[in-house]
């Protein structure tokens, strides 16, 4: 599995419980593969997605999937592999979402992308926000306390759950010319990988 020739680009979850992989067939069609109890589920093609760039487990049964739509614009959806369904989320009018992160134990996720655009998703609400100056964002992480961190070129930004529409710069280095592509945060420190 998969039966057809495919390339996996991202994987999230645990195969003994539930896991999801983003991939593509030889043609440029984005596909989601699900696995439950070490068994493959039926793959789900996403013809409306031009590319998928981020995947994070949102809660017990759903994953956030982000990227770019065919014809332009950001793509953000919740995917339920056991139901073989996606639930599109309303997104701001931006080029793309580049990354997402979530804390499944509390059901909170954040997607980030072009033009400083961010989307905080929780149990019953979606909150849109924009990082000051509208820089393109490259990575995001959410801590169990629901504090979110994101990066733009030469900066790291923080958002607290008490004010989910406001981003504050936590670090800046104007000489930094390499994008941070991954973040880790544990409540005491934030680590960026470039």
């Amino acid at each position: 599995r998969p039966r057809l020739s495919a390339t996996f680009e991202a994987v999230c979850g645990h195969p003994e419980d539930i896991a999801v992989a983003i991939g593509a067939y030889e043609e440029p069609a984005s596909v989601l593969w699900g696995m439950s109890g070490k068994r493959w589920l039926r793959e789900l093609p996403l013809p409306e997605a031009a590319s998928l760039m981020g995947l994070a487990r949102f809660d017990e049964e759903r994953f956030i999937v982000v990227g770019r739509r065919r014809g332009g614009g950001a793509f953000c959806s919740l995917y339920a592999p056991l139901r073989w369904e996606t639930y599109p989320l309303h997104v701001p009018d931006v080029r793309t979402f580049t990354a997402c992160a979530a804390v499944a134990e509390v059901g909170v996720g954040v997607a980030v992308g072009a033009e400083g655009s961010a989307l905080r998703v929780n149990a019953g609400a979606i909150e849109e926000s924009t990082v000051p100056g509208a820089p393109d964002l490259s990575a995001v992480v959410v801590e169990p306390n629901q504090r979110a961190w994101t990066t733009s070129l030469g900066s790291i930004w923080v958002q607290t759950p008490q004010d989910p529409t406001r981003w504050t710069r936590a670090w800046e280095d104007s000489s930094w010319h390499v994008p941070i592509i991954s973040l880790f945060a544990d409540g005491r420190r934030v680590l960026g990988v470039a």
Side-chain angles (χ1 to χ4, degrees):
R1 211 41 189 205
R3 294 178 307 237
L4 303 172
S5 175
T7 301
F8 286 164
E9 298 166 1
V11 178
C12 183
H14 196 287
E16 291 182 6
D17 177 26
I18 188 168
V20 171
I22 292 175
Y25 289 132
E26 291 176 356
E27 61 191 61
S30 296
V31 180
L32 296 173
W33 279 271
M35 180 178 265
S36 177
K38 296 184 183 179
R39 298 190 191 285
W40 286 100
L41 305 171
R42 183 174 164 201
E43 59 267 12
L44 178 64
L46 294 175
E48 69 274 20
S51 66
L52 298 176
M53 302 167 114
L55 172 67
R57 188 168 187 172
F58 177 68
D59 61 19
E60 292 264 331
E61 298 180 358
R62 297 176 296 172
F63 292 74
I64 298 177
V65 183
V66 300
R68 187 172 43 84
R69 291 190 167 282
R70 286 195 191 285
F75 175 90
C76 184
S77 189
L78 290 177
Y79 170 51
L82 298 177
R83 293 179 172 268
W84 201 67
E85 293 176 341
T86 59
Y87 307 93
L89 301 176
H90 173 73
V91 297
D93 186 22
V94 294
R95 291 185 321 269
T96 188
F97 277 128
T98 53
C100 62
V103 179
E105 295 80 16
V106 294
V108 171
V110 176
V112 298
E115 302 161 32
S117 183
L119 196 66
R120 180 180 279 261
V121 182
N122 59 39
I126 297 175
E127 305 246 20
E128 293 182 25
S129 60
T130 303
V131 169
D136 289 339
L137 305 173
S138 56
V140 65
V141 66
V142 181
E143 295 180 84
N145 65 12
Q146 301 180 34
R147 183 171 35 217
W149 300 85
T150 190
T151 63
S152 61
L153 195 59
S155 295
I156 295 178
W157 304 84
V158 63
Q159 179 191 70
T160 64
Q162 294 80 19
D163 190 357
T165 61
R166 183 171 169 232
W167 290 92
T168 304
R169 192 186 325 257
W171 172 82
E172 179 179 25
D173 183 346
S174 59
S175 67
W176 194 265
H177 297 294
V178 178
I180 295 173
I181 59 168
S182 182
L183 282 172
F184 168 82
D186 67 0
R188 295 178 309 185
R189 65 186 150 251
V190 178
L191 174 67
V193 179

